[in-house]
Structure formats: C-alpha cells, structure tokens
Amino acid sequence: MMPRKAIFLFCGDLAKDPVAAHVLQESKRLFPLVESGLSVDGHPVLVWEREGGDAFYYAATDEVVSHDYGHYLPVLNTQFAGFATAGLVNWHAGGNAPPAVLCAHTTGDVPSGNFGQACPAALLAVLLAMDRNRRALGLDRFRTSLEATHWSGVQYGQSPQLLLNYPVPLIDIEIGSSPASYADPGAVEAVARALPCIFEDPGPFESLLCVGGMHFEPAFSDPVLNSSEPRLAASHVLPNQWLDAYAVEGTQERLEQCVRSISGGIDAIVFHDNLKGPQKAHLRLLGETLGVPVVKHQRLRQPGSIEWRSRGAEQQ
C-alpha cells in the first residue's frame, strides 16, 4: 500500500477554541514532529513521517478553519488537496450536550443538502482509537460518541456550498462539552493519541447512512462503537432536528448527493423509528434505487440478521 498523508488543523488561540491548542501541544510531546517546509498563517506545518509509511501533518491556524472557510479553502486546496483525509480538532458545546464526551463527525449542512466528502473507514478508526484511549487512560466520566453531520461554518456566515470545493474527507474531532472537559489532560491525551490512528484498518465493514434520531444518537453510535460481526461504520448522520426539508420536493436530490459524497458508497440505510412517514418513503425509494436494504435502527442490535447487499456500481 502506498504511503498516505493526513492533515490535522488546530486553531492556536485558546480564546477562540478551548481545545485545539492543548491537543497540538500534547501531540508535540507524544510524537517526533518536525517542520515540513509548509506553513499556514505564518506558522510552520509540522509533520511526523513514519518510516516507510504514512505521514501526519499538524497545522496551527489563527482562526477556526470552518469559521473562516473562504479564507482557508485556497490554502487547503493548494497545500493539502492530495491528502487522503483531514481532521479539524476543536471543541463541542451546546445546551443539551453531554458534559464529558469525545466525539467525531463528518462535515455537511443537512438542511441545504451540501455534504463534504466522507470516509467511513477513517471516521470509524478515529472513534475506535479515541474510545480505546479513553478506557486505557481511565477516563470513566467521559464517553465516546458518533455525532450528527453538521458544519459550524454556516453560523459564521460561510456558504455551505464551499464544502463541495475541498476533495478530501474532513472529520471534526472534538472534546466536549464543558470548560472542565476541554482542558482535561486525559481527554487531551486520548484525542492526541487517536489522531495518527486515522489510517488504522478496521477490517471489513458495512457502511451505513443513518437518518433520524438525536444529535448524539446512541441507537447509531453504540452499534458503530461496539459491533464486531459484521463491523458497522457510519459516515453521514442526518438527525431529526434538520430534516424538515426532507419531506418535500428536492429530497431525493439531497439524499443522492449525500450518498455520492461517501467514499465507497453505502451498504444500508438505517432510520430511527421516530422518523416521519414521508421521510421514510424517500429513504425506501433511495434504497430501491441503490439496491441496499432500508431498516429500522433496532435491527442494528442484531446486524447479522440484515440481508446486506454489496455496494453497487450505481453508487459510485
């Protein structure tokens, strides 16, 4: 296998991002990072090249990349377009957010149907590595979770269509959701150790498109973290809170664009059983078009009972 490259992005200003600078500093302690010859915002990009293997680049930025994406998109496409994957390390916050969580999600604006490229294998590898490190470091008050697809750039005036202009799968990797958690040394170490695991091979897996449920939906997250035969992987997760636009004209186009953004396509569509009838109908039509099963989330408790179908050429 040819060596691969990953780029990790960290806003270095703790007043703007209370997590990223801590993880970057811990990465410098853990790994033999050296200057790569590249720079972003005047800061040297660091790199760890494994002998005869993959390379991991660490870039400090002045702003949170998603909050000023119009500025950073040319930088990403000039210096990091040929990379296999990218990770944006930041924080999670929210009124109903779990106070102590390690989480990751794909990028996309669900309401408008603009989805960034997604790599199920990379997202699964990061989640499993964070959870493995969480356990090894005794972080019992934390949990690991898959998070719904979203993109914070919209809140900062960035057009979601910009997501279509970077060809590399970009994963948000976060610590949440309180000040005590953001700077927790164990959480910071767990995330830093997980980053270079992004290319770990999870083995064969079934790729899921998940629809419905909450922003942190255990019905999707738990099977992904705990499955073994078959291994389950998710990429885009479309939660209820943004699905009002998915029962009207244009829904099929949004869903098809979502699937096209997922590397390797999907093996099944899984919906939470609280999904509205018209939305379920759109998913069943999508399943028929792609030739994949459409199942309720309860079926993930016994994934061996699902009649999985191979990812077809029509998904590519």
Side-chain angles (χ1 to χ4, degrees):
M1 182 180 295
M2 293 289 293
R4 297 156 293 185
K5 296 179 181 180
I7 172 66
F8 302 115
L9 303 153
F10 310 80
C11 175
D13 187 341
L14 286 170
K16 298 174 181 177
D17 181 328
V19 165
H22 294 306
V23 177
L24 179 56
Q25 188 62 34
E26 181 68 4
S27 298
K28 293 177 182 178
R29 184 184 75 84
L30 291 170
F31 309 116
L33 304 183
V34 298
E35 293 191 10
S36 67
L38 303 174
S39 67
V40 176
D41 290 342
H43 308 293
V45 177
L46 306 178
V47 64
W48 173 30
E49 295 183 87
R50 285 180 175 157
E51 186 175 353
D54 302 320
F56 306 96
Y57 289 72
Y58 293 72
T61 61
D62 289 340
E63 304 289 338
V64 179
V65 166
S66 56
H67 298 179
D68 196 6
Y69 205 63
H71 166 71
Y72 287 106
L73 186 59
V75 178
L76 294 172
N77 277 322
T78 299
Q79 301 195 79
F80 310 115
F83 283 40
T85 192
L88 175 58
V89 177
N90 57 35
W91 80 105
H92 184 271
N96 298 316
V101 66
L102 309 178
C103 56
H105 66 87
T106 56
T107 54
D109 182 57
V110 177
S112 68
N114 289 285
F115 296 94
Q117 294 298 305
C119 178
L123 180 56
L124 178 60
V126 166
L127 284 168
L128 293 178
M130 285 198 298
D131 198 49
R132 184 171 66 243
N133 288 314
R134 178 189 67 81
R135 296 173 188 273
L137 293 167
L139 299 176
D140 295 335
R141 77 180 185 92
F142 281 83
R143 66 183 175 99
T144 309
S145 182
L146 173 68
E147 191 182 353
T149 298
H150 65 284
W151 189 56
S152 60
V154 175
Q155 299 171 253
Y156 291 81
Q158 303 296 296
S159 169
Q161 291 185 325
L162 292 175
L163 288 170
L164 308 181
N165 296 330
Y166 185 47
V168 177
L170 175 60
I171 300 169
D172 273 38
I173 303 163
E174 304 171 356
I175 298 174
S177 304
S178 68
S181 297
Y182 298 150
D184 184 285
V188 168
E189 182 177 349
V191 171
R193 288 189 179 278
L195 296 181
C197 300
I198 200 165
F199 293 137
E200 283 187 353
D201 183 5
F205 61 83
E206 307 294 347
S207 176
L208 310 177
L209 170 62
C210 301
V211 185
M214 300 182 297
H215 192 78
F216 287 94
E217 180 50 66
F220 300 143
S221 186
D222 290 352
V224 167
L225 285 166
N226 300 318
S227 64
S228 56
E229 294 184 4
R231 166 68 73 189
L232 302 178
S235 49
H236 289 311
V237 179
L238 318 185
N240 274 339
Q241 68 195 85
W242 295 312
L243 287 181
D244 286 347
Y246 283 68
V248 296
E249 185 178 354
T251 289
Q252 288 304 121
E253 289 81 0
R254 290 187 184 93
L255 292 171
E256 289 172 7
Q257 181 171 325
C258 178
V259 174
R260 284 195 296 270
S261 72
I262 300 172
S263 176
I266 61 173
D267 298 304
I269 299 166
V270 184
F271 64 88
H272 200 281
D273 60 7
N274 63 7
L275 205 62
K276 296 176 182 178
Q279 294 165 344
K280 293 177 185 176
H282 280 294
L283 295 178
R284 292 190 178 101
L285 177 58
L286 180 66
E288 291 176 5
T289 301
L290 299 177
V292 301
V294 181
V295 300
K296 294 182 179 181
H297 74 266
Q298 291 92 339
R299 295 288 300 279
L300 296 182
R301 298 170 188 166
Q302 294 182 310
S305 69
I306 299 174
E307 295 181 2
W308 302 101
R309 278 176 266 183
S310 298
R311 282 158 259 184
E314 64 268 35
Q315 297 185 50
Q316 307 305 314

